[in-house]
Amino acid sequence: MRVFKFGGASVKDAEAVRNVGKVMGLYPNEEIVVVVSAMGKTTNALEKITKEYMTKEGDLKKSIQELKDYHNDILADLFPDQGHKIYNEVNNVLVELEWIIEDEPIDDFDFEYDQIVSLGEMISTRIVSAWLMESGIENTWVDVRDLIKTDNTYREAVVEWESTESAIKKKLSPVMKGEGSSVVVTQGFVGVTTENYNTTLGREGSDYTASILGSVLGAEDVTIWKDVPGVLNADPKWFEKTKKLEAMSYHDAIELAFFGATVIHPKTLKPLQNNAIPLYVKSFFDPEKEGTLITGVKKLPKELELVPSFIFKVNQVLISILPRDYSFIVEENLSEIFKLFADIGVKINLMQHAALSFSVCVDEDGGKIPDLVEALQKDYKVLYNEDVELVTIRDYDQATIDRVISGKKIYVEQKSRQTARFVVKDVG
Ligand code: ASP
Ligand code: MG
């Protein structure tokens, strides 16, 4: 039994959906749970629709029409027979959306967001399932709301493992009979509360869905199909020459995610690690190529060349906190300071402690920084530098450090055996 996850880019148009069929065709006579994201940029489009619905600003009608047109174009390309039942299935989801927006929104943005945004996956999975059928790949469409049970932290729902496990076993075991081929198509990203309201697991949460299903079902492996050949040593957005990493440990992958790499949703790795289920990241363009394998191995085989990996976090602020009276920053101060960060909800990306100062690098977003600075200024002197970048290099060597930081002013530098981190500003 395996779990495949196809993200938004892998189902962004008719051609891409056909390609999913091709990939699946390489695995006949297997039991596969296929987890699918919303098509292309649908989640962003639904976010916009939610905002327009809640604020009554913008052109809600137009945005909904665009969403319909986008999906209808894909349908028309894949299913020339307008009488095909897929048209009805997709239309039913769109009607659900119309119903939601006919009512006045309740005063809870996150709740309304989850009811609306989750519909993207409801549509995409219908289309993928119908297309696989069309190409001769028998499959069962399963509503993931029968499987993934969560609390009601809308937009960042927390999985309730006990009920989720028993639901998955009860619902999927009869389908995955363990005898030859059976394919299930279901939604990533979406869950449900005990009151039957839709929830979502956080942006990019479909990877996590695949990991939950894989770990409960004891999958042979989980594969995330992407538009890159595997986990790369740098984000192609920032680097022209990227290299694919052949293999890495869960530990490395978690650290990379922590440092800001966006390849894999950070929550994804833990259930897989706990159940020792290998994770592959592979290219849906080159499905027969190796991709990257992420497993529990502590030490990678010698023959694997160490490739330095770069992670850039832009839009950072470096905040330095100093005592007003030249007293040392000691444990009591630090615990006070940490409490302020936690209360205001600012996540620390890097910190450095010296005799008379404590510096942290944080994300600039969310407008929380002014509140934080104000709160800190009650007891401390606060200096800050905006528009800095946080650069992390794993498996570094001096040549790569020189290359990465050239033309930049360094504010903070930290090195451990495996990782070098810099807070820098462009001066070039
Ligand atoms: N569709 C959701 C998003 O774009 C979830 C996912 O793709 O993983 O964030
Ligand atoms: Mg995605």
Side-chain angles (χ1 to χ4, degrees), residues 302-401:
K302 272 258 162 37
E303 62 275 15
L304 286 182
E305 167 202 7
L306 267 193
V307 180
S309 304
F310 310 93
I311 303 121
F312 279 78
K313 264 179 169 298
V314 293
N315 297 329
Q316 299 290 298
V317 190
L318 180 67
I319 305 177
S320 293
I321 302 155
L322 304 99
R324 291 195 185 282
D325 56 359
Y326 286 92
S327 64
F328 289 106
I329 294 236
V330 286
E331 285 69 17
E332 293 92 87
N333 302 101
L334 288 180
S335 75
E336 256 174 45
I337 292 170
F338 281 133
K339 186 167 183 314
L340 277 179
F341 276 80
D343 288 349
I344 298 174
V346 177
K347 218 181 111 238
I348 298 176
N349 295 326
L350 168 143
M351 55 193 169
Q352 179 130 308
H353 180 203
L356 284 178
S357 75
F358 177 64
S359 300
V360 295
C361 188
V362 300
D363 292 347
E364 190 150 23
D365 68 359
K368 290 170 183 163
I369 306 299
D371 289 351
L372 177 74
V373 170
E374 197 189 313
L376 287 167
Q377 275 170 338
K378 290 196 183 106
D379 293 308
Y380 304 94
K381 193 168 149 201
V382 180
L383 304 172
Y384 66 96
N385 251 299
E386 288 169 308
D387 290 325
V388 295
E389 289 168 21
L390 174 59
V391 185
T392 303
I393 312 174
R394 295 272 289 172
D395 302 319
Y396 63 89
D397 53 32
Q398 195 54 46
T400 49
I401 290 181

Side-chain angles (χ1 to χ4, degrees), residues 5-10 37-38 40 43 121 203-207 226:
K5 181 259 177 170
F6 289 96
S10 64
S37 297
T43 304
E121 272 73 9
R203 286 304 305 263
E204 303 302 325
S206 296
D207 292 357
K226 290 184 81 87

Side-chain angles (χ1 to χ4, degrees), residues 127 190 298 418:
I127 298 178
V190 177
K298 293 253 161 40
Q418 203 182 3

